[in-house]
Amino acid sequence: MKQKICVVDDEAKILRFISANLRSVGYDVETASSGEELLENYDLISPDLILLDIMMPGKDGFYVLKELRKFSHTPIIMLTARSNPKDKVNGLNLGADDYLTKPFSLDELFARVNAVLRRSQPALTEGTVNASSMIETGSIQVDVGSKRVWIDGEELKFTQTEFLLLEILALNLDKVVQHETLLSEVWGPQYRDDVEYLRVGIARIRRKIKERLKEPEEYIITYPGLGYMLKSVAAIHNN
C-alpha cells in the first residue's frame, strides 16, 4: 500500500510541482491550499506525512501545527521561504519533525521525506532486544513492540520522532548515547551536526514526562558535548 503525503501550500504552482514529483516516485499525494482546509479534512485524508507551508494567508503553518498536535502525531515537515533560525526552533518546539527551506532540490525533498517516514521503522541500537519487550525505569514504561509509553500506568502520547529518541535511550539504559548516534539514527546521517534538532527533541520528551511524574527525579541526564543517558531507578537513587 502506498504511503500518503498531504502537501499544504497556498501557491498552486508549488502544490503541483511537489505533488507531481512525489507521485513520480510512488507516493499517494493529497493537497490542501490552506491550513483550514487541512484541519477540516484531516480525518478524510488520513496522511502518513504532512508537508506544511508556514507562510499562508489566514491560519499560518505554526497555528496549524499547534492545532494538529492536539490530536495527531502524524509526521510533519515544515516548508518555508524564511531561513530565520528562530522559525526553525519554533517549529521544532511545536512538534514538527523536520524543517525545509525554500528553494530546495528534489533530491533534498526526497531525502527529508524518506528520513521522516523511516522513523516509523524499528530503531538501530547497539544491542538486541525482543520487539515485544517492555523496558521500565521507575514510573516510566516503554513498549518497544507497540511503540507506546506509560507514566504511572497512564499512556503518554509522543510523536514518532520523540518516541524513537526515547526508545534508543531506553534500549541503552544507563549508557551514554552520543549526539552523533542519536542524530544519525533518528534524523539520518546528514543530520549528525544538527544538535538543535536533538536539543529540542529531548526538551519536549522531558517536558511531557515531568508533566505526568509524581516524583521529581530527572530520568534523562545530559552529558555536555557528549550525549544523553536514560537512567534506571537504581542509578538515580545511587547518586
Side-chain angles (χ1 to χ4, degrees):
M1 186 175 178
K2 292 183 178 180
Q3 291 174 298
K4 184 184 292 186
I5 299 175
C6 183
V7 185
V8 188
D9 201 301
D10 61 303
E11 296 187 42
K13 288 183 179 180
I14 292 178
L15 279 182
R16 290 196 298 268
F17 175 76
I18 295 178
S19 300
N21 282 284
L22 288 173
R23 290 189 180 106
S24 73
V25 292
Y27 292 110
D28 184 7
V29 181
E30 297 284 346
T31 63
S33 57
S34 69
E36 291 90 340
E37 183 180 349
L38 170 64
L39 292 171
E40 290 173 5
N41 297 289
Y42 176 84
D43 289 337
L44 181 62
I45 297 172
S46 189
D48 296 299
L49 170 67
I50 298 171
L51 300 181
L52 179 61
D53 186 39
I54 292 178
M55 298 175 65
M56 295 184 290
K59 306 299 185 183
D60 68 13
F62 291 135
Y63 174 88
V64 176
L65 171 60
K66 189 174 181 179
E67 290 300 302
L68 285 170
R69 283 296 177 247
K70 291 179 180 179
F71 62 87
S72 168
H73 298 285
T74 299
I76 296 172
I77 298 176
M78 304 300 288
L79 305 177
T80 182
R82 302 187 299 192
S83 57
N84 187 336
K86 291 183 179 179
D87 288 341
K88 179 179 178 179
V89 173
N90 188 27
L92 294 174
N93 274 325
L94 290 173
D97 295 84
D98 206 344
Y99 191 96
L100 191 54
T101 303
K102 302 174 185 176
F104 47 79
S105 69
L106 287 175
D107 286 343
E108 184 176 14
L109 173 64
F110 296 153
R112 299 292 181 103
V113 167
N114 290 336
V116 171
L117 289 173
R118 177 186 59 81
R119 293 171 204 167
S120 61
Q121 302 302 313
L124 299 174
T125 60
E126 296 175 3
T128 58
V129 64
N130 187 318
S132 62
S133 68
M134 183 79 75
I135 300 171
E136 298 187 38
T137 175
S139 302
I140 304 174
Q141 295 178 310
V142 181
D143 190 327
V144 176
S146 66
K147 297 188 180 298
R148 300 166 71 186
V149 181
W150 288 267
I151 303 289
D152 287 326
E154 183 178 357
E155 187 169 2
L156 187 60
K157 298 296 184 181
F158 286 104
T159 65
Q160 290 182 2
T161 299
E162 291 164 355
F163 179 84
L164 186 50
L165 267 176
L166 182 60
E167 179 185 36
I168 293 171
L169 292 174
L171 289 169
N172 293 279
L173 196 64
D174 290 330
K175 298 178 183 177
V176 178
V177 185
Q178 294 186 351
H179 293 151
E180 293 83 357
T181 299
L182 289 166
L183 286 164
S184 295
E185 293 188 8
V186 176
W187 285 274
Q190 66 272 33
Y191 293 83
R192 287 174 60 89
D193 298 322
D194 288 324
V195 181
E196 194 65 52
Y197 280 82
L198 183 56
R199 189 176 296 117
V200 173
I202 292 291
R204 286 180 57 81
I205 294 172
R206 280 175 167 155
R207 184 163 60 247
K208 289 184 177 183
I209 290 175
K210 287 182 178 180
E211 286 174 353
R212 295 285 183 85
L213 279 177
K214 295 177 181 177
E215 67 270 22
E217 284 106 338
E218 176 63 81
Y219 284 90
I220 300 178
I221 309 302
T222 300
Y223 287 81
L226 182 60
Y228 296 92
M229 174 195 290
L230 180 66
K231 282 198 172 185
S232 64
V233 170
I236 292 172
H237 290 167
N238 287 334
N239 285 345

